[in-house]
Protein backbone atom coordinates (compact mmCIF):
# COMPACT_ATOMS: atom_id res chain seq x y z
CA UNK A 1 0.00 0.00 0.00
CA UNK A 2 2.87 2.31 0.92
CA UNK A 3 4.52 1.40 -2.38
CA UNK A 4 1.42 2.52 -4.31
CA UNK A 5 1.16 5.76 -2.40
CA UNK A 6 4.79 6.52 -3.13
CA UNK A 7 4.24 5.65 -6.77
CA UNK A 8 1.23 7.96 -6.94
CA UNK A 9 3.19 10.82 -5.40
CA UNK A 10 6.15 10.23 -7.70
CA UNK A 11 3.94 10.12 -10.81
CA UNK A 12 2.12 13.33 -9.87
CA UNK A 13 5.36 15.13 -9.04
CA UNK A 14 6.98 13.94 -12.26
CA UNK A 15 4.07 15.16 -14.37
CA UNK A 16 3.91 18.48 -12.57
CA UNK A 17 7.59 19.02 -13.33
CA UNK A 18 7.09 18.05 -16.99
CA UNK A 19 4.16 20.46 -17.28
CA UNK A 20 6.09 23.33 -15.69
CA UNK A 21 9.13 22.63 -17.87
CA UNK A 22 7.03 22.57 -21.05
CA UNK A 23 5.25 25.79 -20.10
CA UNK A 24 8.54 27.46 -19.26
CA UNK A 25 10.18 26.36 -22.53
CA UNK A 26 7.21 27.53 -24.56
CA UNK A 27 7.06 30.89 -22.80
CA UNK A 28 10.81 31.40 -23.05
CA UNK A 29 10.82 30.50 -26.73
CA UNK A 30 7.92 32.80 -27.50
CA UNK A 31 9.43 35.73 -25.68
CA UNK A 32 12.96 35.33 -26.97
CA UNK A 33 12.25 35.50 -30.69
CA UNK A 34 11.47 38.95 -32.12
CA UNK A 35 8.65 39.56 -34.56
CA UNK A 36 9.59 40.27 -38.15
CA UNK A 37 7.45 43.25 -39.19
CA UNK A 38 7.31 44.35 -42.81
CA UNK A 39 5.66 47.50 -44.12
CA UNK A 40 5.02 47.79 -47.83
CA UNK A 41 4.16 51.29 -49.01
CA UNK A 42 2.10 51.66 -52.17
CA UNK A 43 0.63 54.68 -53.90
CA UNK A 44 -2.86 54.13 -55.24
CA UNK A 45 -4.34 56.61 -57.71
CA UNK A 46 -6.68 57.16 -60.57
CA UNK A 47 -4.47 59.10 -62.99
CA UNK A 48 -3.73 56.10 -65.20
CA UNK A 49 -4.05 52.32 -65.37
CA UNK A 50 -0.48 51.49 -64.43
CA UNK A 51 0.00 48.48 -62.17
CA UNK A 52 3.51 48.11 -60.77
CA UNK A 53 4.88 44.65 -61.61
CA UNK A 54 6.53 44.46 -58.18
CA UNK A 55 3.07 44.31 -56.64
CA UNK A 56 2.01 41.26 -58.61
CA UNK A 57 1.97 39.10 -55.47
CA UNK A 58 -0.71 41.20 -53.82
CA UNK A 59 -2.66 42.24 -56.89
CA UNK A 60 -5.87 40.60 -55.75
CA UNK A 61 -5.66 42.26 -52.34
CA UNK A 62 -5.05 45.69 -53.86
CA UNK A 63 -7.78 45.40 -56.45
CA UNK A 64 -10.25 45.25 -53.55
CA UNK A 65 -9.84 49.04 -53.30
CA UNK A 66 -10.92 49.74 -56.90
CA UNK A 67 -8.23 52.31 -57.69
CA UNK A 68 -6.98 52.37 -61.28
CA UNK A 69 -3.23 52.51 -60.63
CA UNK A 70 -0.92 51.08 -58.00
CA UNK A 71 2.74 52.05 -57.67
CA UNK A 72 5.26 50.42 -55.32
CA UNK A 73 7.04 53.08 -53.28
CA UNK A 74 9.10 51.22 -50.68
CA UNK A 75 9.33 48.27 -48.36
CA UNK A 76 10.94 48.20 -44.94
CA UNK A 77 11.39 45.36 -42.47
CA UNK A 78 12.40 45.35 -38.83
CA UNK A 79 12.75 42.71 -36.14
CA UNK A 80 10.74 44.05 -33.24
CA UNK A 81 10.83 42.50 -29.76
CA UNK A 82 7.62 41.53 -27.98
CA UNK A 83 6.47 44.61 -26.11
CA UNK A 84 8.90 46.70 -28.15
CA UNK A 85 8.11 49.28 -30.77
CA UNK A 86 9.22 49.46 -34.40
CA UNK A 87 9.02 52.84 -36.11
CA UNK A 88 8.78 53.03 -39.90
CA UNK A 89 9.11 56.16 -41.98
CA UNK A 90 6.17 56.73 -44.29
CA UNK A 91 6.18 59.20 -47.20
CA UNK A 92 4.65 62.62 -46.51
CA UNK A 93 6.40 63.20 -43.18
CA UNK A 94 4.44 60.41 -41.55
CA UNK A 95 5.61 57.58 -39.37
CA UNK A 96 4.11 54.24 -38.50
CA UNK A 97 4.72 52.65 -35.13
CA UNK A 98 4.10 48.91 -34.76
CA UNK A 99 4.24 47.22 -31.35
CA UNK A 100 3.78 43.42 -31.15
CA UNK A 101 1.87 42.55 -27.97
CA UNK A 102 1.46 38.78 -27.87
CA UNK A 103 0.84 35.68 -29.93
CA UNK A 104 -2.10 33.42 -29.20
CA UNK A 105 -3.57 30.69 -31.38
CA UNK A 106 -0.95 31.59 -33.98
CA UNK A 107 -2.32 35.13 -34.19
CA UNK A 108 -0.17 38.13 -33.46
CA UNK A 109 -1.64 41.10 -31.63
CA UNK A 110 -0.24 44.39 -32.96
CA UNK A 111 -0.70 47.93 -31.77
CA UNK A 112 -0.39 50.21 -34.77
CA UNK A 113 -0.15 53.99 -34.68
CA UNK A 114 0.14 56.27 -37.70
CA UNK A 115 1.24 59.83 -37.06
CA UNK A 116 1.85 62.86 -39.22
CA UNK A 117 4.50 64.92 -37.54
CA UNK A 118 3.41 64.93 -33.91
CA UNK A 119 -0.25 64.55 -34.77
CA UNK A 120 -1.81 61.08 -34.45
CA UNK A 121 -3.84 59.97 -37.45
CA UNK A 122 -5.00 56.55 -36.32
CA UNK A 123 -4.47 54.14 -33.44
CA UNK A 124 -5.60 50.58 -33.86
CA UNK A 125 -5.10 47.19 -32.28
CA UNK A 126 -5.41 44.17 -34.53
CA UNK A 127 -4.82 40.44 -34.38
CA UNK A 128 -3.39 39.13 -37.61
CA UNK A 129 -2.59 35.54 -38.53
CA UNK A 130 1.10 34.74 -38.14
CA UNK A 131 2.77 35.58 -41.48
CA UNK A 132 -0.43 37.34 -42.54
CA UNK A 133 -1.08 40.99 -43.32
CA UNK A 134 -3.68 43.70 -43.33
CA UNK A 135 -3.99 46.97 -45.20
CA UNK A 136 -4.11 50.44 -43.75
CA UNK A 137 -4.84 53.07 -46.35
CA UNK A 138 -6.23 56.46 -47.11
CA UNK A 139 -3.67 59.13 -46.21
CA UNK A 140 -3.38 61.42 -49.27
CA UNK A 141 -0.08 61.53 -51.14
CA UNK A 142 0.93 62.89 -54.56
CA UNK A 143 -2.64 63.14 -55.77
CA UNK A 144 -3.46 59.61 -54.72
CA UNK A 145 -3.71 57.67 -51.50
CA UNK A 146 -1.12 55.77 -49.55
CA UNK A 147 -1.74 52.08 -49.01
CA UNK A 148 0.28 50.38 -46.30
CA UNK A 149 0.53 46.61 -46.20
CA UNK A 150 1.42 45.66 -42.64
CA UNK A 151 2.59 42.09 -42.10
CA UNK A 152 4.13 40.29 -39.14
CA UNK A 153 5.84 36.98 -38.76
CA UNK A 154 6.84 35.25 -35.53
CA UNK A 155 8.88 32.04 -35.11
CA UNK B 1 -7.33 -8.45 25.71
CA UNK B 2 -8.64 -9.71 29.02
CA UNK B 3 -7.79 -13.40 28.61
CA UNK B 4 -4.37 -14.61 29.51
CA UNK B 5 -3.96 -16.38 26.16
CA UNK B 6 -4.56 -13.07 24.35
CA UNK B 7 -2.12 -11.25 26.60
CA UNK B 8 0.59 -13.86 26.12
CA UNK B 9 0.41 -13.43 22.37
CA UNK B 10 1.44 -9.83 22.89
CA UNK B 11 4.02 -10.37 25.61
CA UNK B 12 6.97 -10.71 23.21
CA UNK B 13 6.01 -7.59 21.26
CA UNK B 14 5.44 -5.71 24.53
CA UNK B 15 8.88 -6.60 25.86
CA UNK B 16 10.39 -5.52 22.52
CA UNK B 17 8.52 -2.18 22.74
CA UNK B 18 6.59 -2.84 19.53
CA UNK B 19 3.05 -2.20 20.88
CA UNK B 20 1.28 1.13 20.62
CA UNK B 21 0.85 2.98 23.96
CA UNK B 22 -2.74 1.88 24.64
CA UNK B 23 -1.99 -1.79 23.96
CA UNK B 24 1.22 -1.65 26.00
CA UNK B 25 -0.69 -0.14 28.94
CA UNK B 26 -3.35 -2.88 28.78
CA UNK B 27 -0.67 -5.60 28.80
CA UNK B 28 1.20 -3.91 31.64
CA UNK B 29 -1.92 -3.67 33.83
CA UNK B 30 -2.83 -7.30 33.18
CA UNK B 31 0.66 -8.58 33.93
CA UNK B 32 0.72 -6.59 37.17
CA UNK B 33 -2.44 -8.36 38.39
CA UNK B 34 -1.96 -11.84 36.90
CA UNK B 35 0.71 -14.06 38.52
CA UNK B 36 0.62 -16.57 35.64
CA UNK B 37 1.29 -13.93 32.99
CA UNK B 38 3.90 -12.31 35.23
CA UNK B 39 5.65 -15.68 35.37
CA UNK B 40 5.39 -15.96 31.59
CA UNK B 41 6.96 -12.53 31.32
CA UNK B 42 9.85 -13.57 33.56
CA UNK B 43 10.42 -16.67 31.43
CA UNK B 44 10.49 -14.60 28.27
CA UNK B 45 12.90 -12.11 29.80
CA UNK B 46 15.20 -14.95 30.87
CA UNK B 47 15.05 -16.36 27.36
CA UNK B 48 15.89 -12.97 25.86
CA UNK B 49 18.85 -12.55 28.21
CA UNK B 50 20.09 -16.03 27.39
CA UNK B 51 19.75 -15.47 23.63
CA UNK B 52 21.53 -12.16 23.84
CA UNK B 53 24.47 -13.71 25.62
CA UNK B 54 24.62 -16.55 23.09
CA UNK B 55 24.52 -14.15 20.15
CA UNK B 56 27.08 -11.84 21.67
CA UNK B 57 29.56 -14.63 22.36
CA UNK B 58 28.90 -17.02 19.46
CA UNK B 59 28.10 -14.34 16.85
CA UNK B 60 31.63 -13.01 16.92
CA UNK B 61 32.93 -16.42 15.82
CA UNK B 62 30.73 -16.55 12.74
CA UNK B 63 32.25 -15.21 9.53
CA UNK B 64 29.39 -13.08 8.15
CA UNK B 65 31.36 -11.45 5.36
CA UNK B 66 31.57 -14.53 3.10
CA UNK B 67 27.88 -15.19 3.81
CA UNK B 68 26.83 -11.65 2.75
CA UNK B 69 29.11 -11.81 -0.25
CA UNK B 70 27.34 -14.98 -1.39
CA UNK B 71 23.90 -13.42 -0.87
CA UNK B 72 24.90 -10.27 -2.74
CA UNK B 73 26.33 -12.20 -5.68
CA UNK B 74 23.16 -14.29 -5.90
CA UNK B 75 21.00 -11.16 -5.90
CA UNK B 76 23.06 -9.56 -8.64
CA UNK B 77 23.15 -12.74 -10.69
CA UNK B 78 19.44 -13.46 -10.43
CA UNK B 79 18.11 -9.90 -10.96
CA UNK B 80 19.41 -8.34 -14.19
CA UNK B 81 18.38 -4.78 -15.06
CA UNK B 82 15.58 -5.80 -17.41
CA UNK B 83 14.01 -7.99 -14.73
CA UNK B 84 13.98 -5.04 -12.37
CA UNK B 85 12.49 -2.84 -15.10
CA UNK B 86 9.73 -5.36 -15.79
CA UNK B 87 8.98 -5.61 -12.10
CA UNK B 88 8.85 -1.82 -11.81
CA UNK B 89 6.53 -1.55 -14.80
CA UNK B 90 4.29 -4.26 -13.42
CA UNK B 91 4.00 -2.50 -10.09
CA UNK B 92 3.41 0.81 -11.83
CA UNK B 93 0.65 -0.59 -14.03
CA UNK B 94 -1.03 -2.09 -11.00
CA UNK B 95 -1.38 1.39 -9.51
CA UNK B 96 -4.83 2.97 -9.39
CA UNK B 97 -6.12 4.08 -12.80
CA UNK B 98 -6.30 7.70 -11.63
CA UNK B 99 -2.53 7.83 -11.52
CA UNK B 100 -2.48 7.40 -15.28
CA UNK B 101 -5.60 9.43 -16.03
CA UNK B 102 -4.04 12.60 -14.59
CA UNK B 103 -0.74 12.44 -16.56
CA UNK B 104 -2.63 11.43 -19.69
CA UNK B 105 -4.79 14.55 -19.44
CA UNK B 106 -1.71 16.71 -18.84
CA UNK B 107 0.06 15.25 -21.88
CA UNK B 108 -3.03 15.83 -24.06
CA UNK B 109 -3.23 19.45 -22.84
CA UNK B 110 0.47 20.09 -23.50
CA UNK B 111 0.21 18.62 -27.00
CA UNK B 112 -2.92 20.65 -27.77
CA UNK B 113 -1.36 23.88 -26.53
CA UNK B 114 1.89 23.25 -28.38
CA UNK B 115 0.33 22.17 -31.66
CA UNK B 116 0.48 25.60 -33.20
CA UNK B 117 4.09 26.10 -32.16
CA UNK B 118 5.15 22.77 -33.63
CA UNK B 119 3.04 23.08 -36.79
CA UNK B 120 2.12 26.74 -37.36
CA UNK B 121 0.27 26.14 -40.61
CA UNK B 122 -2.13 23.72 -38.95
CA UNK B 123 -5.72 24.90 -39.01
CA UNK B 124 -7.91 23.68 -36.19
CA UNK B 125 -11.30 24.39 -34.73
CA UNK B 126 -10.14 27.47 -32.84
CA UNK B 127 -8.86 29.10 -35.99
CA UNK B 128 -11.75 29.16 -38.40
CA UNK B 129 -10.52 31.79 -40.83
CA UNK B 130 -7.60 33.90 -41.84
CA UNK B 131 -9.23 37.26 -41.23
CA UNK B 132 -7.63 39.98 -39.21
CA UNK B 133 -9.50 40.73 -36.00
CA UNK B 134 -9.66 44.46 -35.37
CA UNK B 135 -9.95 45.01 -31.64
CA UNK B 136 -9.99 48.80 -31.57
CA UNK B 137 -9.73 51.79 -33.90
CA UNK B 138 -9.29 55.41 -32.89
CA UNK B 139 -9.09 57.64 -35.96
CA UNK B 140 -8.94 60.83 -33.88
CA UNK B 141 -12.11 62.29 -35.33
CA UNK B 142 -11.55 61.16 -38.92
CA UNK B 143 -13.93 58.93 -40.84
CA UNK B 144 -12.76 55.38 -41.08
CA UNK B 145 -14.06 52.31 -42.89
CA UNK B 146 -13.35 48.67 -42.17
CA UNK B 147 -13.59 46.27 -45.09
CA UNK B 148 -13.27 42.51 -45.13
CA UNK B 149 -13.11 40.79 -48.47
CA UNK B 150 -13.89 37.08 -48.67
CA UNK B 151 -11.98 35.92 -51.75
CA UNK B 152 -8.58 37.18 -50.70
CA UNK B 153 -9.37 37.29 -46.97
CA UNK B 154 -8.16 40.84 -46.96
CA UNK B 155 -8.88 43.28 -44.17
CA UNK B 156 -8.63 46.97 -45.03
CA UNK B 157 -8.78 49.89 -42.62
CA UNK B 158 -9.42 52.98 -44.74
CA UNK B 159 -9.12 56.56 -43.58
CA UNK B 160 -11.27 59.13 -45.33
CA UNK B 161 -10.52 62.79 -45.74
CA UNK B 162 -12.65 65.16 -43.70
CA UNK B 163 -14.83 67.02 -46.18
CA UNK B 164 -14.04 70.34 -44.53
CA UNK B 165 -10.41 69.46 -44.13
CA UNK B 166 -10.63 70.02 -40.40
CA UNK B 167 -7.91 68.52 -38.26
CA UNK B 168 -5.93 67.63 -41.34
CA UNK B 169 -2.83 69.57 -42.20
CA UNK B 170 -2.07 67.65 -45.38
CA UNK B 171 -1.80 69.82 -48.42
CA UNK B 172 -2.22 66.91 -50.78
CA UNK B 173 -5.84 65.78 -50.84
CA UNK B 174 -6.55 62.49 -52.54
CA UNK B 175 -8.32 62.78 -55.84
CA UNK B 176 -11.10 60.52 -54.65
CA UNK B 177 -11.68 57.79 -52.15
CA UNK B 178 -11.92 54.16 -53.13
CA UNK B 179 -15.28 52.72 -53.98
CA UNK B 180 -14.51 49.22 -52.59
Amino acid sequence: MTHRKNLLKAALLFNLLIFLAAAWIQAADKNSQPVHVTIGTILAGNQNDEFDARLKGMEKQLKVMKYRSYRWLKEESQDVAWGGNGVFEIPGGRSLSVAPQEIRNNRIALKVRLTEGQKPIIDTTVRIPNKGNFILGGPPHEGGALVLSISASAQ
Amino acid sequence: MKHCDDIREFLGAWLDGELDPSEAEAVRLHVADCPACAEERRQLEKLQVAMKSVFSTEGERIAFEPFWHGVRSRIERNRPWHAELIEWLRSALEAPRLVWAVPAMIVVLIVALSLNSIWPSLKWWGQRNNYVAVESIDAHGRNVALLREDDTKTTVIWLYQNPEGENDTSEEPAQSGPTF
Side-chain angles (χ1 to χ4, degrees), chain B residues 44-60:
Chain B
L44 271 175
E45 283 176 336
K46 273 187 191 175
L47 184 63
Q48 281 187 338
V49 170
M51 286 180 75
K52 270 183 190 171
S53 67
V54 168
F55 276 125
S56 60
T57 53
E58 299 297 319
E60 290 170 0

mmCIF file of all heavy atoms in Angstrom, chain B residues 44-60:
data_model
loop_
_atom_site.group_PDB
_atom_site.id
_atom_site.type_symbol
_atom_site.label_atom_id
_atom_site.label_comp_id
_atom_site.label_asym_id
_atom_site.label_seq_id
_atom_site.Cartn_x
_atom_site.Cartn_y
_atom_site.Cartn_z
ATOM 1 N N LEU B 44 10.098 -15.228 29.553
ATOM 2 C CA LEU B 44 10.491 -14.598 28.272
ATOM 3 C C LEU B 44 11.727 -13.726 28.443
ATOM 4 O O LEU B 44 12.624 -13.723 27.600
ATOM 5 C CB LEU B 44 9.338 -13.739 27.727
ATOM 6 C CG LEU B 44 8.329 -14.444 26.830
ATOM 7 C CD1 LEU B 44 7.197 -13.484 26.480
ATOM 8 C CD2 LEU B 44 9.001 -14.922 25.536
ATOM 9 N N GLU B 45 11.745 -12.984 29.552
ATOM 10 C CA GLU B 45 12.900 -12.114 29.801
ATOM 11 C C GLU B 45 14.178 -12.943 29.989
ATOM 12 O O GLU B 45 15.234 -12.579 29.479
ATOM 13 C CB GLU B 45 12.648 -11.234 31.033
ATOM 14 C CG GLU B 45 11.720 -10.070 30.727
ATOM 15 C CD GLU B 45 11.377 -9.250 31.961
ATOM 16 O OE1 GLU B 45 11.466 -9.796 33.085
ATOM 17 O OE2 GLU B 45 11.017 -8.066 31.798
ATOM 18 N N LYS B 46 14.038 -14.059 30.688
ATOM 19 C CA LYS B 46 15.198 -14.952 30.874
ATOM 20 C C LYS B 46 15.695 -15.452 29.524
ATOM 21 O O LYS B 46 16.894 -15.494 29.253
ATOM 22 C CB LYS B 46 14.791 -16.160 31.742
ATOM 23 C CG LYS B 46 14.907 -15.948 33.217
ATOM 24 C CD LYS B 46 14.633 -17.284 33.911
ATOM 25 C CE LYS B 46 14.473 -17.084 35.421
ATOM 26 N NZ LYS B 46 14.081 -18.350 36.071
ATOM 27 N N LEU B 47 14.704 -15.847 28.701
ATOM 28 C CA LEU B 47 15.051 -16.358 27.364
ATOM 29 C C LEU B 47 15.780 -15.289 26.538
ATOM 30 O O LEU B 47 16.775 -15.576 25.860
ATOM 31 C CB LEU B 47 13.770 -16.804 26.641
ATOM 32 C CG LEU B 47 13.951 -17.449 25.271
ATOM 33 C CD1 LEU B 47 14.746 -18.746 25.394
ATOM 34 C CD2 LEU B 47 12.587 -17.717 24.633
ATOM 35 N N GLN B 48 15.259 -14.074 26.622
ATOM 36 C CA GLN B 48 15.893 -12.974 25.861
ATOM 37 C C GLN B 48 17.324 -12.744 26.328
ATOM 38 O O GLN B 48 18.229 -12.571 25.514
ATOM 39 C CB GLN B 48 15.092 -11.676 26.026
ATOM 40 C CG GLN B 48 13.860 -11.627 25.143
ATOM 41 C CD GLN B 48 13.174 -10.274 25.190
ATOM 42 O OE1 GLN B 48 13.359 -9.533 26.149
ATOM 43 N NE2 GLN B 48 12.381 -9.983 24.172
ATOM 44 N N VAL B 49 17.498 -12.759 27.662
ATOM 45 C CA VAL B 49 18.849 -12.550 28.205
ATOM 46 C C VAL B 49 19.785 -13.661 27.740
ATOM 47 O O VAL B 49 20.926 -13.408 27.306
ATOM 48 C CB VAL B 49 18.798 -12.470 29.759
ATOM 49 C CG1 VAL B 49 20.204 -12.494 30.346
ATOM 50 C CG2 VAL B 49 18.065 -11.219 30.194
ATOM 51 N N ALA B 50 19.256 -14.893 27.788
ATOM 52 C CA ALA B 50 20.090 -16.031 27.386
ATOM 53 C C ALA B 50 20.463 -15.931 25.907
ATOM 54 O O ALA B 50 21.620 -16.153 25.512
ATOM 55 C CB ALA B 50 19.330 -17.333 27.648
ATOM 56 N N MET B 51 19.481 -15.572 25.079
ATOM 57 C CA MET B 51 19.751 -15.474 23.627
ATOM 58 C C MET B 51 20.745 -14.360 23.322
ATOM 59 O O MET B 51 21.617 -14.511 22.463
ATOM 60 C CB MET B 51 18.443 -15.255 22.862
ATOM 61 C CG MET B 51 17.611 -16.529 22.789
ATOM 62 S SD MET B 51 16.092 -16.280 21.901
ATOM 63 C CE MET B 51 16.699 -16.219 20.248
ATOM 64 N N LYS B 52 20.603 -13.268 24.070
ATOM 65 C CA LYS B 52 21.534 -12.159 23.840
ATOM 66 C C LYS B 52 22.957 -12.580 24.143
ATOM 67 O O LYS B 52 23.895 -12.254 23.403
ATOM 68 C CB LYS B 52 21.153 -10.962 24.727
ATOM 69 C CG LYS B 52 20.177 -10.017 24.080
ATOM 70 C CD LYS B 52 19.904 -8.826 24.967
ATOM 71 C CE LYS B 52 18.754 -8.002 24.430
ATOM 72 N NZ LYS B 52 18.332 -6.973 25.375
ATOM 73 N N SER B 53 23.104 -13.317 25.252
ATOM 74 C CA SER B 53 24.474 -13.713 25.621
ATOM 75 C C SER B 53 25.039 -14.693 24.601
ATOM 76 O O SER B 53 26.215 -14.629 24.246
ATOM 77 C CB SER B 53 24.489 -14.316 27.023
ATOM 78 O OG SER B 53 23.791 -15.533 27.020
ATOM 79 N N VAL B 54 24.163 -15.598 24.105
ATOM 80 C CA VAL B 54 24.621 -16.555 23.091
ATOM 81 C C VAL B 54 25.051 -15.815 21.830
ATOM 82 O O VAL B 54 26.127 -16.063 21.272
ATOM 83 C CB VAL B 54 23.511 -17.583 22.772
ATOM 84 C CG1 VAL B 54 23.864 -18.376 21.519
ATOM 85 C CG2 VAL B 54 23.307 -18.525 23.946
ATOM 86 N N PHE B 55 24.190 -14.885 21.381
ATOM 87 C CA PHE B 55 24.517 -14.148 20.146
ATOM 88 C C PHE B 55 25.797 -13.339 20.311
ATOM 89 O O PHE B 55 26.613 -13.264 19.393
ATOM 90 C CB PHE B 55 23.364 -13.230 19.746
ATOM 91 C CG PHE B 55 22.305 -13.963 18.966
ATOM 92 C CD1 PHE B 55 20.975 -13.950 19.377
ATOM 93 C CD2 PHE B 55 22.636 -14.676 17.818
ATOM 94 C CE1 PHE B 55 20.014 -14.629 18.669
ATOM 95 C CE2 PHE B 55 21.658 -15.348 17.107
ATOM 96 C CZ PHE B 55 20.343 -15.334 17.544
ATOM 97 N N SER B 56 25.913 -12.713 21.508
ATOM 98 C CA SER B 56 27.078 -11.840 21.673
ATOM 99 C C SER B 56 28.384 -12.639 21.733
ATOM 100 O O SER B 56 29.416 -12.154 21.280
ATOM 101 C CB SER B 56 26.924 -10.982 22.934
ATOM 102 O OG SER B 56 26.823 -11.825 24.056
ATOM 103 N N THR B 57 28.316 -13.850 22.267
ATOM 104 C CA THR B 57 29.562 -14.630 22.357
ATOM 105 C C THR B 57 29.803 -15.452 21.096
ATOM 106 O O THR B 57 30.899 -15.434 20.537
ATOM 107 C CB THR B 57 29.529 -15.587 23.563
ATOM 108 O OG1 THR B 57 28.354 -16.365 23.478
ATOM 109 C CG2 THR B 57 29.562 -14.807 24.867
ATOM 110 N N GLU B 58 28.740 -16.127 20.615
ATOM 111 C CA GLU B 58 28.898 -17.015 19.460
ATOM 112 C C GLU B 58 28.912 -16.242 18.137
ATOM 113 O O GLU B 58 29.553 -16.658 17.183
ATOM 114 C CB GLU B 58 27.762 -18.052 19.418
ATOM 115 C CG GLU B 58 27.702 -18.966 20.617
ATOM 116 C CD GLU B 58 28.939 -19.830 20.739
ATOM 117 O OE1 GLU B 58 29.414 -20.319 19.694
ATOM 118 O OE2 GLU B 58 29.441 -19.995 21.867
ATOM 119 N N GLY B 59 28.216 -15.105 18.109
ATOM 120 C CA GLY B 59 28.105 -14.343 16.846
ATOM 121 C C GLY B 59 29.438 -13.839 16.358
ATOM 122 O O GLY B 59 29.672 -13.753 15.140
ATOM 123 N N GLU B 60 30.328 -13.548 17.322
ATOM 124 C CA GLU B 60 31.632 -13.014 16.917
ATOM 125 C C GLU B 60 32.460 -14.052 16.175
ATOM 126 O O GLU B 60 33.361 -13.718 15.418
ATOM 127 C CB GLU B 60 32.396 -12.516 18.151
ATOM 128 C CG GLU B 60 31.783 -11.263 18.736
ATOM 129 C CD GLU B 60 32.390 -10.915 20.089
ATOM 130 O OE1 GLU B 60 33.279 -11.661 20.556
ATOM 131 O OE2 GLU B 60 31.959 -9.909 20.668
#
